[in-house]
Amino acid sequence: MEEFSKIITEIRQKSPLVYNITNFVVTNISANALLALGASPIMSYAKEEAIDLIKISSALLINMGTPTPDIIETMLIAAKTANNASIPVVFDPVGVGASKFRNEIAQEILSKVKIDIIKGNASEIANLCGVNIQTKGVESNTYIENIADLTKDLAKKHHCIVCATGKTDIVSDGNKVYACENGHEFLTKITGSGCILGSIAAAAAGVCNDYLKAMTAACLIVGISGEIAASKSNLLGNFQVEFFNALSTFEPENFKNALYKVL
């Protein structure tokens, strides 16, 4: 667990600036989650400042939860600039599979820029692999038996880290496959927990260039924090408050409760 402990310590010490081009629903939530963890968020949708913001950032998150042509243009400008500057790019293909529009956007992003980490729920990852699974809006409760294989295949195809979230989070670099089993069902009942994970993954990648470890650490941080929050309240509103409290007080020793294995 030492490698994960180092990541949380460095986030607190370095306070990496994470440039978020995320969806309107979670802008505030994701920013507060990053602040709670010790990172520094910046949230912007303006293409006019994308290049300047990349210059001062440690990582970039692009999240297509509320896509518009202007926002996608900003994402592409920022991501191409990040590629040139060797700044990690995390892509959250929210809702891919729900509409032709989202499918086209996801493929455009993947074809035009180098993505370092793809994070999506199981149905989103399956859809990116060409498996036609109908999603319900941007949510997914679909159980996909071969999700570990699909995650590994997508990672190989795009030469990146892929994370498929669910009851068990699957993380792969195309060779190794990790299964992270921490978490609580309340995380699926609050807005933006998956988007928060993407932002935290970007923060971790901003301080650790081993992106497999960074993504795995992010899954464990969110999962363990969810468990801590649930242990303090069985009320959904209070759970959300306790979840942010757990992020803000997360310490390296919390990783002793990590449940993950190599598949």
Side-chain angles (χ1 to χ4, degrees):
M1 301 302 172
E2 184 177 346
E3 65 270 32
F4 301 138
S5 297
K6 184 178 180 182
I7 289 172
I8 188 67
T9 298
E10 295 211 344
I11 289 174
R12 293 268 163 75
Q13 290 177 345
K14 296 180 178 179
S15 191
L17 181 63
V18 179
Y19 176 12
N20 293 258
I21 308 174
T22 191
N23 69 74
F24 301 139
V25 179
V26 303
T27 303
N28 178 267
I29 296 168
S30 296
N32 281 331
L34 286 169
L35 287 170
L37 199 64
S40 298
I42 187 164
M43 329 299 280
S44 175
Y45 303 96
K47 64 183 179 182
E48 291 82 2
E49 64 176 354
I51 292 174
D52 287 338
L53 293 182
I54 285 295
K55 291 177 182 178
I56 60 172
S57 297
S58 299
L60 169 68
L61 168 77
I62 53 177
N63 174 311
M64 63 178 220
T66 50
T68 68
D70 285 345
I71 290 176
I72 301 308
E73 183 181 1
T74 303
M75 289 180 178
L76 290 171
I77 293 170
K80 288 176 182 178
T81 307
N83 287 168
N84 292 334
S86 299
I87 291 170
V89 179
V90 178
F91 175 40
D92 193 341
V94 177
V96 68
S99 70
K100 180 181 177 183
F101 180 56
R102 288 177 189 266
N103 294 347
E104 291 173 348
I105 290 169
Q107 292 307 318
E108 180 181 14
I109 289 171
L110 290 172
S111 67
K112 290 185 175 180
V113 298
K114 172 68 172 72
I115 301 298
D116 296 291
I117 298 174
I118 301 171
K119 182 224 70 76
N121 63 39
S123 69
E124 289 162 351
I125 297 304
N127 272 285
L128 290 180
C129 291
V131 179
N132 187 18
I133 294 176
Q134 185 62 46
T135 63
K136 182 181 179 182
V138 298
E139 302 298 334
S140 173
N141 294 315
T142 305
Y143 173 74
I144 301 171
E145 186 174 359
N146 64 334
I147 191 61
D149 291 332
L150 293 174
T151 301
K152 185 177 180 180
D153 290 345
L154 190 64
K156 281 184 178 178
K157 179 179 179 180
H158 292 287
H159 307 287
C160 69
I161 306 304
V162 176
C163 173
T165 61
K167 186 175 182 180
T168 297
D169 297 329
I170 305 296
V171 186
S172 179
D173 62 357
N175 294 302
K176 296 177 183 178
V177 180
Y178 291 152
C180 304
E181 298 178 338
N182 292 97
H184 191 275
E185 65 175 342
F186 275 7
L187 287 169
T188 67
K189 298 181 183 299
I190 62 172
T191 300
S193 59
C195 299
I196 286 171
L197 175 58
S199 291
I200 290 177
V207 300
C208 176
N209 59 14
D210 184 334
Y211 301 143
L212 179 63
K213 289 181 181 178
M215 185 69 246
T216 304
C219 289
L220 295 174
I221 289 167
V222 171
I224 293 169
S225 295
E227 292 172 352
I228 293 170
S231 73
K232 296 184 177 181
S233 178
N234 62 358
L235 298 174
L236 199 56
N238 291 344
F239 170 82
Q240 189 168 12
V241 173
E242 292 297 346
F243 176 63
F244 281 95
N245 289 341
L247 288 176
S248 69
T249 57
F250 199 97
E251 297 294 340
E253 53 264 30
N254 288 123
F255 284 115
K256 70 179 184 296
N257 296 317
L259 301 174
Y260 84 105
K261 60 187 177 183
V262 179
L263 297 182

PDB file of all heavy atoms in Angstrom, residues 102-129:
ATOM      1  N   ARG A 102     -23.498  11.486 -28.563  1.00  0.00           N
ATOM      2  CA  ARG A 102     -22.436  11.181 -27.593  1.00  0.00           C
ATOM      3  C   ARG A 102     -21.441  10.167 -28.156  1.00  0.00           C
ATOM      4  O   ARG A 102     -20.231  10.257 -27.904  1.00  0.00           O
ATOM      5  CB  ARG A 102     -23.041  10.669 -26.285  1.00  0.00           C
ATOM      6  CG  ARG A 102     -23.744  11.748 -25.473  1.00  0.00           C
ATOM      7  CD  ARG A 102     -24.400  11.167 -24.217  1.00  0.00           C
ATOM      8  NE  ARG A 102     -25.236  12.165 -23.576  1.00  0.00           N
ATOM      9  CZ  ARG A 102     -24.833  12.964 -22.581  1.00  0.00           C
ATOM     10  NH1 ARG A 102     -23.617  12.861 -22.120  1.00  0.00           N
ATOM     11  NH2 ARG A 102     -25.662  13.846 -22.060  1.00  0.00           N
ATOM     12  N   ASN A 103     -21.950   9.185 -28.880  1.00  0.00           N
ATOM     13  CA  ASN A 103     -21.054   8.190 -29.478  1.00  0.00           C
ATOM     14  C   ASN A 103     -20.059   8.863 -30.426  1.00  0.00           C
ATOM     15  O   ASN A 103     -18.856   8.548 -30.412  1.00  0.00           O
ATOM     16  CB  ASN A 103     -21.862   7.148 -30.250  1.00  0.00           C
ATOM     17  CG  ASN A 103     -22.742   6.304 -29.353  1.00  0.00           C
ATOM     18  OD1 ASN A 103     -22.601   6.308 -28.134  1.00  0.00           O
ATOM     19  ND2 ASN A 103     -23.669   5.578 -29.959  1.00  0.00           N
ATOM     20  N   GLU A 104     -20.554   9.790 -31.236  1.00  0.00           N
ATOM     21  CA  GLU A 104     -19.684  10.472 -32.193  1.00  0.00           C
ATOM     22  C   GLU A 104     -18.655  11.349 -31.491  1.00  0.00           C
ATOM     23  O   GLU A 104     -17.493  11.410 -31.901  1.00  0.00           O
ATOM     24  CB  GLU A 104     -20.537  11.299 -33.157  1.00  0.00           C
ATOM     25  CG  GLU A 104     -21.365  10.437 -34.116  1.00  0.00           C
ATOM     26  CD  GLU A 104     -22.332  11.258 -34.955  1.00  0.00           C
ATOM     27  OE1 GLU A 104     -22.529  12.466 -34.628  1.00  0.00           O
ATOM     28  OE2 GLU A 104     -22.900  10.701 -35.904  1.00  0.00           O
ATOM     29  N   ILE A 105     -19.079  12.008 -30.420  1.00  0.00           N
ATOM     30  CA  ILE A 105     -18.150  12.854 -29.660  1.00  0.00           C
ATOM     31  C   ILE A 105     -17.026  12.011 -29.063  1.00  0.00           C
ATOM     32  O   ILE A 105     -15.841  12.364 -29.147  1.00  0.00           O
ATOM     33  CB  ILE A 105     -18.894  13.605 -28.540  1.00  0.00           C
ATOM     34  CG1 ILE A 105     -19.801  14.681 -29.132  1.00  0.00           C
ATOM     35  CG2 ILE A 105     -17.895  14.235 -27.567  1.00  0.00           C
ATOM     36  CD1 ILE A 105     -20.748  15.286 -28.118  1.00  0.00           C
ATOM     37  N   ALA A 106     -17.399  10.899 -28.437  1.00  0.00           N
ATOM     38  CA  ALA A 106     -16.392  10.044 -27.805  1.00  0.00           C
ATOM     39  C   ALA A 106     -15.370   9.552 -28.825  1.00  0.00           C
ATOM     40  O   ALA A 106     -14.150   9.570 -28.569  1.00  0.00           O
ATOM     41  CB  ALA A 106     -17.071   8.861 -27.117  1.00  0.00           C
ATOM     42  N   GLN A 107     -15.846   9.127 -29.982  1.00  0.00           N
ATOM     43  CA  GLN A 107     -14.926   8.628 -30.993  1.00  0.00           C
ATOM     44  C   GLN A 107     -14.056   9.743 -31.564  1.00  0.00           C
ATOM     45  O   GLN A 107     -12.882   9.527 -31.877  1.00  0.00           O
ATOM     46  CB  GLN A 107     -15.711   7.935 -32.114  1.00  0.00           C
ATOM     47  CG  GLN A 107     -16.388   6.639 -31.680  1.00  0.00           C
ATOM     48  CD  GLN A 107     -15.420   5.658 -31.020  1.00  0.00           C
ATOM     49  OE1 GLN A 107     -14.279   5.479 -31.480  1.00  0.00           O
ATOM     50  NE2 GLN A 107     -15.871   5.016 -29.942  1.00  0.00           N
ATOM     51  N   GLU A 108     -14.618  10.944 -31.668  1.00  0.00           N
ATOM     52  CA  GLU A 108     -13.824  12.074 -32.142  1.00  0.00           C
ATOM     53  C   GLU A 108     -12.693  12.383 -31.174  1.00  0.00           C
ATOM     54  O   GLU A 108     -11.537  12.595 -31.587  1.00  0.00           O
ATOM     55  CB  GLU A 108     -14.711  13.315 -32.321  1.00  0.00           C
ATOM     56  CG  GLU A 108     -13.940  14.529 -32.827  1.00  0.00           C
ATOM     57  CD  GLU A 108     -14.794  15.773 -32.981  1.00  0.00           C
ATOM     58  OE1 GLU A 108     -15.937  15.789 -32.459  1.00  0.00           O
ATOM     59  OE2 GLU A 108     -14.321  16.738 -33.601  1.00  0.00           O
ATOM     60  N   ILE A 109     -13.010  12.404 -29.892  1.00  0.00           N
ATOM     61  CA  ILE A 109     -11.985  12.679 -28.881  1.00  0.00           C
ATOM     62  C   ILE A 109     -10.897  11.613 -28.908  1.00  0.00           C
ATOM     63  O   ILE A 109      -9.696  11.919 -28.929  1.00  0.00           O
ATOM     64  CB  ILE A 109     -12.627  12.781 -27.486  1.00  0.00           C
ATOM     65  CG1 ILE A 109     -13.457  14.073 -27.383  1.00  0.00           C
ATOM     66  CG2 ILE A 109     -11.558  12.742 -26.385  1.00  0.00           C
ATOM     67  CD1 ILE A 109     -14.310  14.173 -26.146  1.00  0.00           C
ATOM     68  N   LEU A 110     -11.308  10.360 -28.945  1.00  0.00           N
ATOM     69  CA  LEU A 110     -10.330   9.265 -28.913  1.00  0.00           C
ATOM     70  C   LEU A 110      -9.481   9.210 -30.178  1.00  0.00           C
ATOM     71  O   LEU A 110      -8.349   8.712 -30.143  1.00  0.00           O
ATOM     72  CB  LEU A 110     -11.043   7.933 -28.701  1.00  0.00           C
ATOM     73  CG  LEU A 110     -11.652   7.724 -27.318  1.00  0.00           C
ATOM     74  CD1 LEU A 110     -12.506   6.458 -27.280  1.00  0.00           C
ATOM     75  CD2 LEU A 110     -10.565   7.660 -26.243  1.00  0.00           C
ATOM     76  N   SER A 111      -9.997   9.721 -31.275  1.00  0.00           N
ATOM     77  CA  SER A 111      -9.247   9.671 -32.533  1.00  0.00           C
ATOM     78  C   SER A 111      -8.319  10.873 -32.711  1.00  0.00           C
ATOM     79  O   SER A 111      -7.347  10.796 -33.461  1.00  0.00           O
ATOM     80  CB  SER A 111     -10.211   9.591 -33.720  1.00  0.00           C
ATOM     81  OG  SER A 111     -10.968  10.785 -33.857  1.00  0.00           O
ATOM     82  N   LYS A 112      -8.602  11.969 -32.004  1.00  0.00           N
ATOM     83  CA  LYS A 112      -7.855  13.202 -32.245  1.00  0.00           C
ATOM     84  C   LYS A 112      -6.820  13.535 -31.178  1.00  0.00           C
ATOM     85  O   LYS A 112      -5.923  14.343 -31.427  1.00  0.00           O
ATOM     86  CB  LYS A 112      -8.816  14.380 -32.398  1.00  0.00           C
ATOM     87  CG  LYS A 112      -9.630  14.328 -33.689  1.00  0.00           C
ATOM     88  CD  LYS A 112     -10.477  15.580 -33.858  1.00  0.00           C
ATOM     89  CE  LYS A 112     -11.191  15.583 -35.207  1.00  0.00           C
ATOM     90  NZ  LYS A 112     -12.031  16.789 -35.390  1.00  0.00           N
ATOM     91  N   VAL A 113      -6.958  12.945 -29.978  1.00  0.00           N
ATOM     92  CA  VAL A 113      -5.995  13.252 -28.912  1.00  0.00           C
ATOM     93  C   VAL A 113      -5.555  11.971 -28.213  1.00  0.00           C
ATOM     94  O   VAL A 113      -6.221  10.939 -28.294  1.00  0.00           O
ATOM     95  CB  VAL A 113      -6.577  14.240 -27.868  1.00  0.00           C
ATOM     96  CG1 VAL A 113      -6.921  15.564 -28.510  1.00  0.00           C
ATOM     97  CG2 VAL A 113      -7.787  13.656 -27.183  1.00  0.00           C
ATOM     98  N   LYS A 114      -4.421  12.064 -27.531  1.00  0.00           N
ATOM     99  CA  LYS A 114      -3.923  10.944 -26.735  1.00  0.00           C
ATOM    100  C   LYS A 114      -4.521  11.047 -25.349  1.00  0.00           C
ATOM    101  O   LYS A 114      -4.324  12.023 -24.636  1.00  0.00           O
ATOM    102  CB  LYS A 114      -2.397  10.985 -26.648  1.00  0.00           C
ATOM    103  CG  LYS A 114      -1.782   9.987 -25.682  1.00  0.00           C
ATOM    104  CD  LYS A 114      -1.951   8.552 -26.168  1.00  0.00           C
ATOM    105  CE  LYS A 114      -1.165   7.577 -25.278  1.00  0.00           C
ATOM    106  NZ  LYS A 114      -1.783   7.409 -23.936  1.00  0.00           N
ATOM    107  N   ILE A 115      -5.268  10.022 -24.974  1.00  0.00           N
ATOM    108  CA  ILE A 115      -5.860   9.956 -23.641  1.00  0.00           C
ATOM    109  C   ILE A 115      -4.989   9.065 -22.756  1.00  0.00           C
ATOM    110  O   ILE A 115      -4.559   7.987 -23.176  1.00  0.00           O
ATOM    111  CB  ILE A 115      -7.298   9.404 -23.708  1.00  0.00           C
ATOM    112  CG1 ILE A 115      -8.186  10.285 -24.595  1.00  0.00           C
ATOM    113  CG2 ILE A 115      -7.879   9.263 -22.314  1.00  0.00           C
ATOM    114  CD1 ILE A 115      -8.362  11.700 -24.107  1.00  0.00           C
ATOM    115  N   ASP A 116      -4.732   9.505 -21.542  1.00  0.00           N
ATOM    116  CA  ASP A 116      -3.914   8.707 -20.621  1.00  0.00           C
ATOM    117  C   ASP A 116      -4.758   7.792 -19.746  1.00  0.00           C
ATOM    118  O   ASP A 116      -4.341   6.679 -19.417  1.00  0.00           O
ATOM    119  CB  ASP A 116      -3.073   9.640 -19.750  1.00  0.00           C
ATOM    120  CG  ASP A 116      -2.090  10.440 -20.590  1.00  0.00           C
ATOM    121  OD1 ASP A 116      -1.144   9.838 -21.121  1.00  0.00           O
ATOM    122  OD2 ASP A 116      -2.289  11.659 -20.728  1.00  0.00           O
ATOM    123  N   ILE A 117      -5.952   8.257 -19.360  1.00  0.00           N
ATOM    124  CA  ILE A 117      -6.864   7.451 -18.541  1.00  0.00           C
ATOM    125  C   ILE A 117      -8.276   7.640 -19.075  1.00  0.00           C
ATOM    126  O   ILE A 117      -8.738   8.775 -19.245  1.00  0.00           O
ATOM    127  CB  ILE A 117      -6.829   7.866 -17.057  1.00  0.00           C
ATOM    128  CG1 ILE A 117      -5.439   7.662 -16.456  1.00  0.00           C
ATOM    129  CG2 ILE A 117      -7.870   7.070 -16.255  1.00  0.00           C
ATOM    130  CD1 ILE A 117      -5.301   8.198 -15.027  1.00  0.00           C
ATOM    131  N   ILE A 118      -8.951   6.526 -19.339  1.00  0.00           N
ATOM    132  CA  ILE A 118     -10.384   6.546 -19.646  1.00  0.00           C
ATOM    133  C   ILE A 118     -11.104   5.979 -18.437  1.00  0.00           C
ATOM    134  O   ILE A 118     -10.796   4.867 -17.987  1.00  0.00           O
ATOM    135  CB  ILE A 118     -10.730   5.694 -20.881  1.00  0.00           C
ATOM    136  CG1 ILE A 118      -9.975   6.187 -22.120  1.00  0.00           C
ATOM    137  CG2 ILE A 118     -12.240   5.703 -21.137  1.00  0.00           C
ATOM    138  CD1 ILE A 118     -10.114   5.259 -23.326  1.00  0.00           C
ATOM    139  N   LYS A 119     -12.072   6.733 -17.904  1.00  0.00           N
ATOM    140  CA  LYS A 119     -12.848   6.258 -16.767  1.00  0.00           C
ATOM    141  C   LYS A 119     -14.334   6.340 -17.094  1.00  0.00           C
ATOM    142  O   LYS A 119     -14.851   7.407 -17.397  1.00  0.00           O
ATOM    143  CB  LYS A 119     -12.567   7.100 -15.515  1.00  0.00           C
ATOM    144  CG  LYS A 119     -13.321   6.616 -14.277  1.00  0.00           C
ATOM    145  CD  LYS A 119     -13.947   7.739 -13.468  1.00  0.00           C
ATOM    146  CE  LYS A 119     -15.096   8.390 -14.138  1.00  0.00           C
ATOM    147  NZ  LYS A 119     -16.366   7.574 -14.105  1.00  0.00           N
ATOM    148  N   GLY A 120     -15.010   5.209 -17.037  1.00  0.00           N
ATOM    149  CA  GLY A 120     -16.444   5.199 -17.287  1.00  0.00           C
ATOM    150  C   GLY A 120     -17.102   4.066 -16.538  1.00  0.00           C
ATOM    151  O   GLY A 120     -16.418   3.198 -15.981  1.00  0.00           O
ATOM    152  N   ASN A 121     -18.440   4.064 -16.519  1.00  0.00           N
ATOM    153  CA  ASN A 121     -19.096   2.912 -15.911  1.00  0.00           C
ATOM    154  C   ASN A 121     -19.037   1.738 -16.883  1.00  0.00           C
ATOM    155  O   ASN A 121     -18.591   1.870 -18.034  1.00  0.00           O
ATOM    156  CB  ASN A 121     -20.521   3.251 -15.462  1.00  0.00           C
ATOM    157  CG  ASN A 121     -21.442   3.634 -16.603  1.00  0.00           C
ATOM    158  OD1 ASN A 121     -21.396   3.058 -17.691  1.00  0.00           O
ATOM    159  ND2 ASN A 121     -22.305   4.621 -16.371  1.00  0.00           N
ATOM    160  N   ALA A 122     -19.484   0.584 -16.436  1.00  0.00           N
ATOM    161  CA  ALA A 122     -19.306  -0.638 -17.234  1.00  0.00           C
ATOM    162  C   ALA A 122     -19.952  -0.533 -18.600  1.00  0.00           C
ATOM    163  O   ALA A 122     -19.367  -0.949 -19.613  1.00  0.00           O
ATOM    164  CB  ALA A 122     -19.863  -1.838 -16.458  1.00  0.00           C
ATOM    165  N   SER A 123     -21.155   0.021 -18.682  1.00  0.00           N
ATOM    166  CA  SER A 123     -21.827   0.106 -19.983  1.00  0.00           C
ATOM    167  C   SER A 123     -21.131   1.090 -20.904  1.00  0.00           C
ATOM    168  O   SER A 123     -21.080   0.886 -22.123  1.00  0.00           O
ATOM    169  CB  SER A 123     -23.301   0.468 -19.806  1.00  0.00           C
ATOM    170  OG  SER A 123     -23.456   1.791 -19.344  1.00  0.00           O
ATOM    171  N   GLU A 124     -20.579   2.173 -20.346  1.00  0.00           N
ATOM    172  CA  GLU A 124     -19.848   3.140 -21.168  1.00  0.00           C
ATOM    173  C   GLU A 124     -18.586   2.508 -21.746  1.00  0.00           C
ATOM    174  O   GLU A 124     -18.276   2.688 -22.931  1.00  0.00           O
ATOM    175  CB  GLU A 124     -19.506   4.373 -20.333  1.00  0.00           C
ATOM    176  CG  GLU A 124     -20.732   5.221 -20.000  1.00  0.00           C
ATOM    177  CD  GLU A 124     -20.522   6.187 -18.859  1.00  0.00           C
ATOM    178  OE1 GLU A 124     -19.474   6.118 -18.179  1.00  0.00           O
ATOM    179  OE2 GLU A 124     -21.433   7.010 -18.623  1.00  0.00           O
ATOM    180  N   ILE A 125     -17.865   1.766 -20.916  1.00  0.00           N
ATOM    181  CA  ILE A 125     -16.655   1.097 -21.397  1.00  0.00           C
ATOM    182  C   ILE A 125     -17.018   0.049 -22.449  1.00  0.00           C
ATOM    183  O   ILE A 125     -16.356  -0.070 -23.491  1.00  0.00           O
ATOM    184  CB  ILE A 125     -15.887   0.449 -20.233  1.00  0.00           C
ATOM    185  CG1 ILE A 125     -15.412   1.532 -19.243  1.00  0.00           C
ATOM    186  CG2 ILE A 125     -14.711  -0.371 -20.747  1.00  0.00           C
ATOM    187  CD1 ILE A 125     -14.571   2.633 -19.848  1.00  0.00           C
ATOM    188  N   ALA A 126     -18.084  -0.707 -22.212  1.00  0.00           N
ATOM    189  CA  ALA A 126     -18.521  -1.707 -23.190  1.00  0.00           C
ATOM    190  C   ALA A 126     -18.881  -1.053 -24.516  1.00  0.00           C
ATOM    191  O   ALA A 126     -18.521  -1.550 -25.591  1.00  0.00           O
ATOM    192  CB  ALA A 126     -19.711  -2.495 -22.637  1.00  0.00           C
ATOM    193  N   ASN A 127     -19.586   0.071 -24.467  1.00  0.00           N
ATOM    194  CA  ASN A 127     -19.951   0.770 -25.696  1.00  0.00           C
ATOM    195  C   ASN A 127     -18.727   1.267 -26.452  1.00  0.00           C
ATOM    196  O   ASN A 127     -18.689   1.221 -27.685  1.00  0.00           O
ATOM    197  CB  ASN A 127     -20.902   1.924 -25.381  1.00  0.00           C
ATOM    198  CG  ASN A 127     -22.356   1.501 -25.372  1.00  0.00           C
ATOM    199  OD1 ASN A 127     -22.956   1.281 -26.418  1.00  0.00           O
ATOM    200  ND2 ASN A 127     -22.933   1.350 -24.182  1.00  0.00           N
ATOM    201  N   LEU A 128     -17.723   1.741 -25.740  1.00  0.00           N
ATOM    202  CA  LEU A 128     -16.494   2.171 -26.402  1.00  0.00           C
ATOM    203  C   LEU A 128     -15.797   0.994 -27.075  1.00  0.00           C
ATOM    204  O   LEU A 128     -15.043   1.184 -28.038  1.00  0.00           O
ATOM    205  CB  LEU A 128     -15.549   2.836 -25.409  1.00  0.00           C
ATOM    206  CG  LEU A 128     -15.953   4.214 -24.873  1.00  0.00           C
ATOM    207  CD1 LEU A 128     -14.903   4.724 -23.898  1.00  0.00           C
ATOM    208  CD2 LEU A 128     -16.161   5.221 -26.009  1.00  0.00           C
ATOM    209  N   CYS A 129     -16.058  -0.205 -26.571  1.00  0.00           N
ATOM    210  CA  CYS A 129     -15.483  -1.420 -27.164  1.00  0.00           C
ATOM    211  C   CYS A 129     -16.327  -1.957 -28.318  1.00  0.00           C
ATOM    212  O   CYS A 129     -15.997  -2.981 -28.908  1.00  0.00           O
ATOM    213  CB  CYS A 129     -15.339  -2.509 -26.103  1.00  0.00           C
ATOM    214  SG  CYS A 129     -14.087  -2.171 -24.861  1.00  0.00           S
TER     215      CYS A 129
END
